[in-house]
Amino acid sequence: MTLLIEFLSLFAIVVGAIVLVMLLTGLFFEIMNARHPERRIQKDRVNNRKWQELKQAPVSILTLTTCFVFGLFAQQQGWTIAPLELSWWSGPLMLLVSVVLYDAWFYWVHRLLHRKPFYRFHALHHKSVAPTVWSNHHESFLEALLNQAYYALVVFVLPIPWQILVLQKLYDQISGMLGHAGYEHFASPAGRAPWPLASTVFHDQHHGTFRFNFGHTFSFWDRWMGTLHPRYDETLKTFEAGEAAAPSEPQLGPERR
């Protein structure tokens, strides 16, 4: 009973934190988008589904919280491998390793969700062809579980301090909403070749075409596997150069397999 109470207490704290971060991040991007309409990526499409997207958010948030809290709680109870003591070198190292591992996890889970018979669990998310900052949590229970199970499992294979796991989850939450914002506010050379980082354009092209750009933080899996949008680098460069009025990418047709 004591363990259950401890778990539920931690669960409530994390749910509150996730909701707070979601609302603050969403408000930030809503203001930024309203002030800079020229930064919209898909200029020929308007998303009028924000309230439908938000209705699904509780399913996503409760699922991701369960996975994340299980990982934290298991580590706290000593059921996992012992984490490294947090230091000036162990923190950054574990954060880098875990972010890279999660990107690989996300890429291959995402590819799986685009294959039959799994696409039906991902189709809800792709109803937002032109995503908004609220599209991040517009997903089915199974999709959220597959994406977020990483946080329940990583503590059993990586000696990551709990503080770094919390920091990564915070980054994951904000960067996920940034990727769905629909407006490219932070374009830079770091988001295109030869650098490995992704961008808002990166994930927006995935929603617009369904068959490119499956990664999360990095583009190297897509580059290695031949799933990078053929005009990703040049499109991002137009926003980087301040040419925000560049026309929308031509749609290449959905692939829902």
Side-chain angles (χ1 to χ4, degrees), residues 26-247:
L27 179 61
F28 171 80
F29 282 112
E30 288 284 9
I31 293 172
M32 287 284 288
N33 294 350
R35 293 182 62 181
H36 299 283
E38 76 281 0
R39 309 299 295 182
R40 186 149 63 97
I41 298 167
Q42 296 188 49
K43 302 187 190 314
D44 57 344
R45 284 174 171 159
V46 177
N47 187 324
N48 295 315
R49 306 182 67 257
K50 291 183 181 180
W51 287 112
Q52 289 105 310
E53 293 172 346
L54 280 170
K55 280 184 184 178
Q56 189 67 18
V59 173
S60 174
I61 291 172
L62 291 175
T63 305
L64 74 86
T65 299
T66 301
C67 294
F68 182 66
V69 170
F70 176 83
L72 285 181
F73 191 73
Q75 188 183 79
Q76 183 185 63
Q77 297 302 316
W79 302 338
T80 67
I81 61 175
L84 293 174
E85 182 178 348
L86 184 63
S87 68
W88 66 269
W89 66 269
S90 66
L93 175 63
M94 287 296 98
L95 180 62
L96 176 62
V97 171
S98 189
V99 168
V100 171
L101 282 177
Y102 181 69
D103 198 70
W105 175 283
F106 185 90
Y107 177 86
W108 289 107
V109 165
H110 201 174
R111 289 290 302 271
L112 178 67
L113 287 169
H114 274 259
R115 306 297 298 180
K116 292 180 180 179
F118 297 98
Y119 185 78
R120 67 180 183 270
F121 303 113
H122 189 46
L124 178 66
H125 189 65
H126 271 294
K127 285 186 177 180
S128 301
V129 179
T132 75
V133 69
W134 309 109
S135 303
N136 188 50
H137 291 296
H138 192 229
E139 59 185 351
S140 69
F141 162 73
L142 186 60
E143 178 178 356
L145 181 63
L146 288 174
N147 284 332
Q148 300 299 320
Y150 172 88
Y151 289 97
L153 300 175
V154 67
V155 291
F156 293 91
V157 297
L158 192 67
I160 183 169
W162 69 266
Q163 299 94 329
I164 299 304
L165 200 61
V166 170
L167 182 60
Q168 182 180 355
K169 189 71 205 121
L170 178 63
Y171 160 77
D172 184 29
Q173 177 66 31
I174 295 174
S175 64
M177 296 186 75
L178 169 63
H180 290 91
Y183 292 67
E184 182 55 78
H185 296 293
F186 305 109
S188 77
R192 54 185 174 84
W195 303 101
L197 293 179
S199 64
T200 304
V201 166
F202 181 86
H203 195 67
D204 199 278
Q205 287 180 330
H206 174 74
H207 275 261
T209 64
F210 296 90
R211 56 195 174 112
F212 299 107
N213 302 3
F214 293 89
H216 181 268
T217 295
F218 305 106
S219 63
F220 48 68
W221 277 106
D222 287 284
R223 295 183 191 277
W224 293 340
M225 302 307 298
T227 54
L228 186 74
H229 192 288
R231 288 181 293 282
Y232 166 64
D233 286 327
E234 65 183 77
T235 301
L236 182 62
K237 190 174 182 179
T238 64
F239 284 93
E240 172 195 332
E243 299 170 17

